[in-house]
Amino acid sequence: MDNADQTGKPTRFQFASDNYAGICPEAWQSLDEANRGYASSYGDDPWTARACEKLRELFETDCEVFFVFNGTAANSLALAALCKSYHSIICHETAHVETDECGASEFFSNGTKVLLVPGKDGKIDLSAVEHTIKRRTDIHYPKPRALSITQSTELGTVYSVAELQAIGNFTKSYGLRLHMDGSRFANSVASLGVTPKEISWQAGVDVLCFGGTKNGMAVGEAVVFFNRDLAEEFDYRCKQAGQLVSKMRFLAAPWIGMLENGAWLRNAAHANTCARQLADGLGKIPGITLAHPCQANTVFVQMSPALATGLRSRGWHFYDFIGSGCARLMCSWETQSKDVETFINDVMELAQQ
Ligand SMILES: *Cc1c(COP(=O)(O)O)cnc(C)c1O
């Protein structure tokens, strides 16, 4: 079964990814508004200026903002800006930077090595990071220069404010720069009920890649430098990497609509609520185990291959998460509560067979 039935009508049975969802009305409306007549190109337009201003207001600080097409570009270009080619980047072994970006960080940094650390439920273990930094200090080892963390994590968990402060203190004490892959940053803000600054610059984050796509935009992520010195010549880096959009207003405008009326947080909170509902319902079914705490918009479920096959034959879409033996169920701004109920009922029925 595909993403649409034969009539082209989209099927509802979607827990594959938050990027299967469409464009939310607020982002769409901003695109429409930006589409009235001429505007200067390459970011020299009122929408881009306004979107940057809105992001500065959101973070309550004078940050430098750049808009790029996707998360891979945002992460790899940001990390390249933090490191020289002989440095290394430390991240969790399940980090998107490592597992899903085709070596882009190494490529755009001219070879900065990515070093992996383990950690429970997708969060880095600081003692493992410390070991990675300290095990070698000689000239033959790629010098650790950046720590990259993901908020919310690839396993659907969220670093608390205290955990982030500990990470920020740690990176400061070792002279590391702190990068945050925030492709689902909004979900973590909604989950923790904090202000964006508390889990970004106030905790020591130097650069945040703030996701728009998975939270209801067509395309686009904002690279937000809280440490402005690190943003020097980042515009050239974007241009060289093919990330300087000539009609920049269409990448920037959706941020205005999303931020102005709170859709960015509403969308994320809705996705989180659906995931919570899914986790609560599934958690009560015998034979179903939740593999990680559900703290954002993703639920990881251990289920038998027969059950997974049964669900798929009823039309449900979801992924087996890379090599983990778990099904990953992901909710988005577009997930319907009644679909969550239908899914839970299907699991109950199939689990009894
Ligand atoms: C989706 C995602 C990204 C961005 O991926 P792109 O496909 O390059 O836009 C980055 N980090 C995480 C954790 C993601 O899930």
Side-chain angles (χ1 to χ4, degrees):
M1 202 163 163
D2 211 316
N3 200 18
D5 68 16
Q6 292 90 329
T7 64
K9 225 173 68 208
T11 56
R12 289 161 36 212
F13 294 166
Q14 220 31 280
F15 288 107
S17 182
D18 34 10
N19 60 16
Y20 275 48
I23 305 172
C24 71
E26 294 83 357
W28 187 264
Q29 197 192 325
S30 296
L31 281 173
D32 187 45
E33 282 164 15
N35 194 32
R36 298 182 190 157
Y38 293 103
S40 307
S41 54
Y42 297 111
D44 192 18
D45 65 88
W47 287 276
T48 304
R50 180 118 189 84
C52 291
E53 207 35 60
K54 284 269 135 208
L55 282 159
R56 288 185 194 109
E57 282 169 23
L58 182 75
F59 286 99
E60 303 175 62
T61 188
D62 189 20
C63 42
E64 282 270 13
V65 179
F66 302 85
F67 299 103
V68 297
F69 284 105
N70 67 9
T72 300
N75 284 335
S76 56
L77 295 175
L79 284 164
L82 306 191
C83 297
K84 293 211 159 67
S85 58
Y86 49 83
H87 286 144
S88 53
I89 298 157
I90 302 174
C91 68
H92 192 275
E93 57 199 6
T94 61
H96 200 268
V97 163
E98 160 67 10
T99 62
D100 284 305
E101 300 189 355
C102 211
S105 291
E106 289 93 333
F107 179 76
F108 284 115
S109 60
N110 291 312
T112 305
K113 192 169 168 59
V114 174
L115 302 175
L116 307 180
V117 294
K120 197 170 179 312
D121 294 325
K123 296 185 188 178
I124 51 151
D125 174 351
L126 275 186
S127 62
V129 178
E130 189 165 37
H131 174 72
T132 302
I133 297 168
K134 284 183 165 170
R135 73 182 161 195
R136 291 271 298 273
T137 50
D138 59 84
I139 199 159
H140 306 284
Y141 185 65
K143 191 177 183 199
R145 189 64 165 126
L147 180 65
S148 174
I149 56 173
T150 311
Q151 175 80 323
S152 54
T153 72
E154 285 78 3
L155 299 183
T157 53
V158 173
Y159 288 98
S160 69
V161 174
E163 284 171 326
L164 291 170
Q165 281 168 348
I167 291 169
N169 290 337
F170 176 94
T171 51
K172 197 172 292 164
S173 72
Y174 282 102
L176 298 186
R177 288 156 176 175
L178 185 54
H179 163 260
M180 181 177 274
D181 174 351
S183 108
R184 301 191 181 88
F185 182 78
N187 300 90
S188 60
V189 174
S191 171
L192 293 168
V194 294
T195 56
K197 68 180 172 191
E198 287 172 86
I199 56 168
S200 56
W201 61 272
Q202 282 190 340
V205 173
D206 290 304
V207 56
L208 166 71
C209 298
F210 187 5
T213 310
K214 285 173 178 155
N215 199 25
M217 292 187 200
V219 60
E221 320 278 297
V223 183
V224 182
F225 283 91
F226 301 112
N227 182 339
R228 297 175 60 102
D229 295 343
L230 296 172
E232 199 194 332
E233 299 185 346
F234 193 74
D235 44 352
Y236 287 88
R237 206 178 272 288
C238 289
K239 174 67 193 183
Q240 186 186 48
Q243 290 293 322
L244 179 64
V245 190
S246 72
K247 291 190 179 177
M248 184 68 88
R249 60 178 147 151
F250 297 111
L251 215 50
W255 287 94
I256 303 173
M258 298 276 289
L259 294 174
E260 242 164 26
N261 60 25
W264 74 280
L265 195 55
R266 247 187 343 268
N267 285 356
H270 170 80
N272 291 358
T273 301
C274 290
R276 182 77 264 155
Q277 187 191 351
L278 200 51
D280 288 346
L282 295 174
K284 293 193 194 108
I285 302 172
I288 299 290
T289 315
L290 302 184
H292 307 287
C294 168
Q295 297 172 341
N297 63 325
T298 320
V299 185
F300 286 85
V301 189
Q302 243 137 28
M303 59 169 82
S304 67
L307 178 54
T309 305
L311 287 164
R312 289 197 169 105
S313 69
R314 290 187 182 198
W316 294 105
H317 287 247
F318 54 90
Y319 286 111
D320 294 323
F321 195 61
I322 30 175
S324 69
C326 285
R328 187 190 74 172
L329 305 167
M330 196 163 263
C331 298
S332 72
W333 70 272
E334 213 168 10
T335 304
Q336 308 267 315
S337 186
K338 62 180 187 314
D339 293 345
V340 173
E341 281 165 32
T342 311
F343 184 84
I344 294 167
N345 287 335
D346 279 359
V347 173
M348 274 196 284
E349 272 177 36
L350 290 164
Q352 279 163 8
Q353 285 172 10

